[in-house]
């Protein structure tokens, strides 16, 4: 059995960044750029009015003279006329400032009489209300660096530069194999001895939060041949996640099935609670995680090990760790790292009740996992602990 820190190290060492793929922007939200992007154009592409008002040339306006309204420029149109001295152009937000003008006065700061304007803002400065060409990006400038997470704002920015597709790190193809003879997943009736299957829901929903749709969800009995067939059927996935059957009982057949499929075991059993039976292996470039079936163990192992492996694949940073003071005392036996369901408040983190691995009621209202160290026993209120946010 290995420590949590060794298990983490082995996951880090054995997982690789994924493929690079070209995606249309609309499909790229939440992905990480795999290329540095340069702006193909100046933005704004022309000197642009930032107000509804009047464009004029400040040096030809002595601070008092009325200016004749010599034309109008709407957003989306342009003019080839050049402003003459003592002239102004009616102009609207987003419209190009015409040749011969360098300043825009807001329409609220003029008096209009007989097709001319008198500017009431006598202190207006050269360049006021004009967004200069290239003041956001210059053609050829770095727009976004490689490894940038593509947020809605980043995608909107790239759209504004006329960029339509981007090369990003692919999302992994993830398959789930849910094992267990006792599990009922396809009807509402429980025969004696059966339980409703729930791990496929928690795991697919967690994947969805990372913008990953499980490629396959396969259910098997506690039967080695069935598990082998299921693994072989999804072996071209990037990540295979199995649930259940990974402990030491006679019907825990996942480790032997994986061995027979040719999966190379990297570790099995971690000094942690919940999730001690966790298994991690590799077949070719495919990562294989076999999670214990108890629902809280499965989800905890998913957050603590599978999410970091997906983060390496996609190069995204999903892991928000914070250090917070405990709001209640907590004790544990030394020997295992504990991951406890917690709820953060403005002044710290509260450890919730119902921590047993078969229960999900406290997990359902938790927003974090609190990590308590292997060798420690007592933690007192106020002590700073390591917290992984999960929502
Ligand atoms: P196992 O890891 O297969 O020994 O299962 C441990 C416990 O978790 C047993 O009580 C199982 O019935 C339960 N369990 C296993 N898989 C699931 C699942 N997919 N959904 C709900 N409970 C499960
Ligand atoms: Mg089982």
């Amino acid at each position: 059995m290995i420590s949590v820190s060794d298990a983490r190290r082995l996951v880090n060492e054995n997982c690789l960044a994924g493929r690079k793929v070209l995606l249309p922007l609309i499909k790229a939200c939440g992905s990480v750029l795999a290329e540095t992007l340069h702006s193909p154009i100046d933005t704004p592409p022309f000197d642009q009015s930032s107000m509804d008002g009047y464009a004029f040339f400040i040096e030809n306006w002595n601070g008092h003279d009325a200016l004749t309204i010599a034309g109008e420029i709407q957003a989306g149109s342009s003019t080839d006329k050049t402003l003459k001295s003592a002239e102004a152009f009616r102009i609207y937000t987003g419209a190009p400032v015409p040749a011969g003008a360098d300043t825009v006065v807001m329409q609220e700061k003029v008096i209009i009489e007989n097709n001319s304007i008198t500017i009431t803002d006598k202190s207006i400065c050269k360049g006021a209300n004009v967004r200069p060409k290239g003041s956001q990006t210059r053609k050829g400038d770095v727009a976004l660096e490689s490894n940038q997470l593509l947020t809605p704002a980043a995608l909107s920015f790239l759209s504004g530069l006329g960029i339509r597709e981007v090369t990003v790190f692919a999302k992994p193809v993830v398959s789930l194999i849910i094992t267990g003879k006792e599990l009922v997943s396809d009807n509402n009736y429980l025969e004696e001895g059966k339980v409703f299957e729930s791990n496929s829901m928690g795991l697919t929903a967690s994947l969805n939060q990372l913008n990953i749709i499980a490629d396959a969800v396969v259910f098997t009995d506690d039967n080695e041949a069935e598990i082998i067939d299921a693994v072989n059927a999804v072996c071209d996935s990037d990540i295979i996640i199995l649930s259940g059957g990974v402990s030491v009982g006679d019907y825990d057949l996942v480790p032997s099935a994986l061995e027979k499929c040719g999966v190379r075991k990297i570790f099995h059993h971690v000094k942690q609670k919940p999730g001690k039976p966790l298994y991690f292996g590799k077949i070719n470039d495919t990562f294989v995680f076999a999670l214990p079936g108890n629902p809280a163990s499965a989800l905890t192992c998913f957050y603590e090990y599978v999410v970091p492996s997906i983060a390496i694949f996609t190069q995204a940073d999903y892991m928000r760790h914070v250090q917070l003071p405990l709001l209640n005392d907590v004790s544990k036996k030394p020997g295992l790292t504990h991951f406890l369901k917690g709820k953060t408040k403005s002044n710290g983190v509260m450890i919730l009740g119902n921590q047993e691995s078969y229960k999900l009621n406290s997990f359902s209202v938790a927003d974090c996992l609190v990590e308590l160290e292997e060798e420690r026993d007592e933690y007192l209120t106020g002590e700073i602990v390591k917290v992984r946010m999960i929502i």
Side-chain angles (χ1 to χ4, degrees):
M1 190 150 54
I2 61 169
S3 67
V4 165
S5 55
D6 283 343
R8 285 185 170 137
R9 179 181 51 74
L10 287 167
V11 169
N12 277 333
E13 284 173 6
N14 284 284
C15 292
L16 305 167
R19 299 169 292 283
K20 297 175 181 181
V21 284
L22 188 66
L23 291 184
L25 288 192
I26 191 66
K27 302 243 181 222
C29 193
S31 293
V32 170
L33 262 183
E35 59 179 341
T36 292
L37 291 174
H38 294 87
S39 181
I41 56 168
D42 288 335
T43 60
F46 46 82
D47 288 344
Q48 191 178 60
S49 178
S50 68
M51 288 287 167
D52 296 317
Y54 295 85
F56 66 105
F57 185 53
I58 203 148
E59 276 179 27
N60 287 350
W61 170 71
N62 66 13
H64 300 283
D65 289 348
L67 301 169
T68 306
I69 303 170
E72 178 186 90
I73 314 170
Q74 203 185 336
S77 59
S78 62
T79 179
D80 46 17
K81 278 202 223 156
T82 300
L83 236 77
K84 297 192 194 95
S85 174
E87 281 184 352
F89 259 60
R90 181 73 169 118
I91 196 164
Y92 298 94
T93 305
V97 174
D102 60 3
T103 305
V104 170
V105 58
M106 295 164 70
Q107 64 187 37
E108 292 84 349
K109 295 198 172 162
V110 302
I111 296 163
I112 309 169
E113 258 175 336
N114 302 328
N115 200 43
S116 51
I117 57 165
T118 304
I119 297 173
T120 57
D121 177 8
K122 301 299 178 199
S123 60
I124 191 164
C125 300
K126 178 175 172 173
N129 304 318
V130 176
R131 307 164 182 157
K133 175 178 175 176
S135 55
Q136 177 177 230
T137 63
R138 289 216 167 270
K139 183 175 175 175
D141 277 358
V142 170
L144 290 177
E145 306 263 12
S146 186
N147 278 74
Q148 173 66 48
L149 175 70
L150 293 172
T151 59
L155 294 172
S156 185
F157 175 51
L158 296 179
S159 282
L161 305 182
I163 291 173
R164 300 285 173 247
E165 343 176 274
V166 282
T167 302
V168 299
F169 291 99
K171 303 280 185 203
V173 174
V174 182
S175 297
L176 298 180
I177 301 173
I178 308 292
T179 72
K181 182 183 172 64
E182 73 282 26
L183 305 175
V184 173
S185 56
D186 54 3
N187 67 45
N188 274 334
Y189 174 70
L190 283 184
E191 282 173 38
E192 186 65 28
K194 304 278 185 186
V195 295
F196 288 127
E197 193 285 314
S198 67
N199 288 348
S200 62
M201 180 59 69
L203 295 171
T204 49
S206 307
L207 289 167
N208 291 350
Q209 275 193 323
L210 307 178
N211 291 323
I212 296 168
I213 294 169
D215 200 56
V217 184
V218 183
F219 297 91
T220 78
D221 212 329
D222 291 311
N223 172 305
E224 197 181 65
E226 257 190 62
I227 299 169
I228 291 173
D229 285 349
V231 172
N232 286 335
V234 298
C235 66
D236 53 358
S237 310
D238 299 305
I239 303 180
I240 302 173
I241 303 172
L242 296 101
S243 145
V246 72
S247 191
V248 294
D250 289 352
Y251 296 100
D252 288 329
L253 301 166
V254 165
S256 60
L258 291 175
E259 192 183 337
K260 288 184 180 145
C261 292
V263 177
R264 180 172 60 89
K265 182 177 86 179
I266 295 168
F267 63 75
H268 186 193
H269 293 111
V270 181
K271 285 194 245 171
Q272 62 184 8
K273 188 176 174 183
K276 192 161 65 172
L278 175 68
Y279 170 107
F280 173 57
K282 259 183 109 172
I283 177 163
N284 303 319
D285 284 340
T286 302
F287 322 149
V288 181
F289 291 93
L291 315 181
N294 270 310
S297 310
L299 262 191
T300 303
C301 290
F302 180 87
Y303 287 123
E304 293 295 335
Y305 299 94
V306 184
V307 172
S309 79
I310 295 173
I312 294 171
F313 196 94
T314 62
Q315 297 287 294
D317 184 10
Y318 307 114
M319 283 153 291
R320 206 154 54 89
H321 279 110
V322 289
Q323 308 268 336
L324 291 176
L326 276 172
L327 295 176
N328 44 2
D329 295 348
V330 49
S331 62
K332 67 184 259 301
K333 283 196 203 135
L336 299 177
T337 298
H338 284 213
F339 297 109
L340 299 183
K341 279 69 81 180
K343 177 94 184 148
T344 58
K345 313 262 174 195
S346 59
N347 57 341
V349 60
M350 176 82 81
I351 304 294
L352 300 172
N354 290 311
Q355 292 286 342
E356 296 90 336
S357 61
Y358 70 97
K359 294 180 177 174
L360 281 179
N361 39 355
S362 62
F363 219 148
S364 302
V365 296
D367 62 1
C368 65
L369 290 172
V370 177
E371 182 173 334
L372 303 184
E373 290 165 28
E374 185 181 311
E375 290 316 325
R376 292 283 306 273
D377 49 6
E378 298 291 330
Y379 283 77
L380 298 179
T381 302
E383 182 164 346
I384 304 292
V385 286
K386 191 172 163 192
V387 176
R388 172 198 290 280
M389 302 307 299
I390 58 173
I391 53 172

